[in-house]
Amino acid sequence: MSIVSVFKKFPKTFWVANTIELFERWAWYGFFMLFANYLTGSSDVGGLEFTQAQKGMLMGFGTGILYFLPVITGSIADKYGYKKVLFIAFIIYASAFILLPLFDTFTGVFIMYLYLALGAALFKPVISATIAKTTTDETASIGFGIFYMMVNIGAFFGPMVTLIFKNSSYNLVFYISAAIVSLNFILLLFYKEPDRKPNNDTLRTSIQNVFKNIALVIVDFKFMLFLLIIAGFWTMYNQLFFTLPVFIAQWVDTSVVFNFFHNTIPFFSENYGTNNGQMEAEFITNFDALFIIIFQIIVSTIVMKWQPLKTMMTGFLVCAIGMSLTLFTQNVLFTFAAIYIFAIGEMAGSPKITEYIGRIAPADKKALYMGYSFIPVFLGNIFAGIISGNVYQDMSDKTTFVKQEVAKRGIEISENLSQNEYFNQAAQAMNMNPMELTNYLWTSYNPSKIWYVILAIGLFAVVALYFYDKLLLNKKVRA
């Protein structure tokens, strides 16, 4: 069956839902790709100077809650209707984006981020269920591939827009996201709710039923094991947002990219470069989304008839290699290659997770079961927060290392300085420039060793999924 014939089988609601997803992801990633460096960056460039551990706790737990709540919000959507829940979600989204930059304490930012997470939690199971309900077994692979491509179009253009305004004010990053997500109020006028079995239970009864269903899932050993294994993939995947932007900003020399654009396409060096001749870290990490936009349909077409679990295993293995290699070197060209490898694995494996759970979900419980599909993402965010927080702080954080080096040498530097000012004074006291001090710390403290941790997590997920497939599943489930 050709791609064109598959496209013709999708109803109008499928395309409206995908467009809504595009703008929601545009708004989300417009701030989220910048969030790690916003939380931990130097105050003289608008950062909050939280520790890596605080960043890991906030992003890990806060984003984890976002992915746990769909277990409940999916049931709310089944009861009250998808369109109503989407409307409420966008109100929360827009207001949270406006309010979040008004807080600069850890507690204040944490609370506002949880409020934002509530809006996202209302949105996610509804839009995923809409895609599942507007695709068939015949069109699901291409349909979820298109959905994933829309995610990445939004993920690419979001940071590309907000990065231009970041140096003027981080507040603009959040306000732009508020404006973009508000476009979905218009698209809701064209959204036709897919077939949904009416739920006449009270809200209390609906929530009670949710926890009864959770109990049924918990005793379903095979399904629970699958969710736990997939959590390993998401732990590795989330380093793209939690760890990689910070690692690039702290360690990777991106001057070769800056010089290339400065000599060929000055627009990019002027808008996505820094004052010291480097490119913004998020500009580099954003190539993951660009690669997916270009290659997702091709990869989805290739794996369309592959068994979901075997496709996931292949994708996870490639992802594990790619993500671990992004943290391996200070050479930005190597980083680009590693991000490309990671993206190929991501394109093959990630959409198949949603497709697999969508296939096994009862027709009248799509939103609820799609809520369960977020459980491994919830666990993956919690674990990723630990890796990018305490583990990164101990193994790879440049701020930690320079303070250790200053203490070791008995140098006196005021703790009231911004991170950048502290680092520059430390370099001066050691008779080095900032780049020389960075290279010295790289050689002395070996921050790239965190790549072993990421690779181990990815390989564990691949091996566990292999034995899950071989030992626990029958042929009917594998199909």
Side-chain angles (χ1 to χ4, degrees):
M1 182 173 59
S2 69
I3 293 180
V4 174
S5 62
V6 173
F7 276 31
K8 290 180 179 179
K9 292 178 181 292
F10 294 126
K12 176 183 175 182
T13 298
F14 171 85
W15 298 109
V16 173
N18 272 283
T19 308
I20 289 174
E21 174 73 7
L22 186 153
F23 285 124
E24 187 270 345
R25 292 291 83 185
W26 182 317
W28 178 264
Y29 285 111
F31 100 93
F32 193 66
M33 183 65 83
L34 285 63
F35 201 40
N37 278 325
Y38 169 69
L39 295 175
T40 61
S42 183
S43 58
D44 58 340
V45 292
L48 300 182
E49 296 201 5
F50 292 170
T51 65
Q52 299 296 334
Q54 287 175 317
K55 174 209 70 180
M57 183 183 299
L58 194 153
M59 293 185 70
F61 184 79
T63 313
I65 289 296
L66 185 163
Y67 286 100
F68 175 77
L69 288 178
V71 172
I72 297 174
T73 57
S75 179
I76 294 173
D78 279 338
K79 176 172 176 56
Y80 292 106
Y82 294 176
K83 199 167 187 175
K84 291 178 181 177
V85 170
L86 285 175
F87 183 80
I88 295 170
F90 297 143
I91 289 176
I92 295 174
Y93 256 133
S95 59
F97 280 133
I98 292 170
L99 293 171
L100 208 156
L102 302 180
F103 296 84
D104 58 7
T105 65
F106 177 77
T107 302
V109 173
F110 204 162
I111 291 172
M112 289 312 305
Y113 187 56
L114 289 176
Y115 175 59
L116 177 63
L118 174 61
L122 288 167
F123 172 82
K124 282 189 172 296
V126 174
I127 212 70
S128 296
T130 301
I131 300 300
K133 283 176 174 286
T134 52
T135 57
T136 64
D137 288 344
E138 187 180 33
T139 63
S141 187
I142 293 294
F144 279 101
I146 292 170
F147 177 70
Y148 202 64
M149 186 178 70
M150 290 295 185
V151 168
N152 283 279
I153 291 174
F156 175 74
F157 283 104
M160 291 299 286
V161 172
T162 53
L163 273 172
I164 294 176
F165 298 94
K166 187 200 81 170
N167 290 332
S168 298
S169 170
Y170 258 114
N171 288 12
L172 287 175
V173 170
F174 296 97
Y175 298 156
I176 290 169
S177 288
I180 293 297
V181 81
S182 296
L183 293 175
N184 280 332
F185 287 115
I186 299 173
L187 286 170
L188 275 181
L189 299 174
F190 303 95
Y191 176 86
K192 182 180 179 182
E193 193 155 320
D195 291 336
R196 177 177 57 86
K197 183 178 179 180
N199 183 349
N200 297 319
D201 293 335
T202 64
L203 179 60
R204 180 178 178 180
T205 300
S206 296
I207 299 300
Q208 288 175 340
N209 289 335
V210 167
F211 286 99
K212 288 179 182 178
N213 288 328
I214 291 175
L216 292 175
V217 170
I218 290 175
V219 298
D220 186 343
F221 173 75
K222 290 181 182 179
F223 191 54
M224 277 299 296
L225 185 59
F226 172 76
L227 297 182
L228 289 172
I229 293 170
I230 299 303
F233 164 76
W234 288 115
T235 301
M236 172 187 61
Y237 169 84
N238 281 318
Q239 304 311 314
L240 180 69
F241 309 102
F242 288 28
T243 299
L244 186 57
V246 175
F247 184 85
I248 292 174
Q250 290 188 339
W251 298 112
V252 178
D253 181 4
T254 60
S255 59
V256 63
V257 181
F258 180 92
N259 292 332
F260 169 78
F261 284 121
H262 180 71
N263 294 326
T264 57
I265 315 175
F267 171 83
F268 289 104
S269 57
E270 290 170 3
N271 289 283
Y272 303 109
T274 64
N275 294 330
N276 59 348
Q278 301 285 319
M279 297 299 290
E280 297 283 5
E282 296 85 1
F283 178 82
I284 305 299
T285 57
N286 210 31
F287 272 77
D288 173 71
L290 178 61
F291 292 143
I292 291 173
I293 293 169
I294 297 171
F295 297 110
Q296 181 65 71
I297 296 298
I298 297 172
V299 173
S300 291
T301 302
I302 293 172
V303 304
M304 181 168 56
K305 295 183 179 180
W306 293 9
Q307 294 176 358
L309 287 176
K310 285 188 169 64
T311 308
M312 281 184 257
M313 276 184 272
T314 304
F316 292 178
L317 177 60
V318 177
C319 271
I321 295 170
M323 180 50 65
S324 59
L325 292 180
T326 62
L327 306 169
F328 182 73
T329 178
Q330 289 179 285
N331 186 332
V332 69
L333 299 181
F334 189 95
T335 305
F336 276 129
I339 290 174
Y340 175 73
I341 294 170
F342 172 80
I344 294 296
E346 180 187 352
M347 284 182 273
S350 185
K352 285 290 184 178
I353 300 172
T354 311
E355 178 192 339
Y356 177 75
I357 297 178
R359 281 188 180 188
I360 64 176
D364 60 338
K365 298 290 185 182
K366 289 286 186 182
L368 184 59
Y369 270 68
M370 285 301 170
Y372 290 133
S373 75
F374 295 121
I375 291 297
V377 191
F378 154 67
L379 294 173
N381 274 279
I382 298 295
F383 298 149
I386 296 171
I387 300 299
S388 74
N390 294 87
V391 174
Y392 183 88
Q393 185 164 299
D394 292 339
M395 296 180 69
S396 304
D397 181 36
K398 187 162 77 169
T399 301
T400 299
F401 293 159
V402 73
K403 289 186 176 182
Q404 289 177 0
E405 191 66 24
V406 164
K408 185 189 301 183
R409 297 185 182 216
I411 300 171
E412 294 291 335
I413 300 178
S414 172
E415 293 289 339
N416 295 323
L417 299 174
S418 71
Q419 285 179 4
N420 287 341
E421 291 169 338
Y422 186 98
F423 191 83
N424 290 337
Q425 284 205 16
Q428 186 177 8
M430 298 177 201
N431 296 315
M432 304 179 195
N433 62 40
M435 183 60 72
E436 288 171 340
L437 178 54
T438 297
N439 292 335
Y440 171 80
L441 295 173
W442 175 273
T443 303
S444 301
Y445 291 87
N446 190 24
S448 67
K449 60 183 176 288
I450 195 171
W451 80 276
Y452 291 115
V453 177
I454 306 303
L455 182 62
I457 294 170
L459 290 179
F460 169 80
V462 174
V463 173
L465 201 57
Y466 172 81
F467 284 108
Y468 175 84
D469 181 39
K470 290 294 183 183
L471 303 179
L472 292 179
L473 295 186
N474 56 47
K475 292 182 179 179
K476 182 177 180 182
V477 177
R478 288 194 186 111

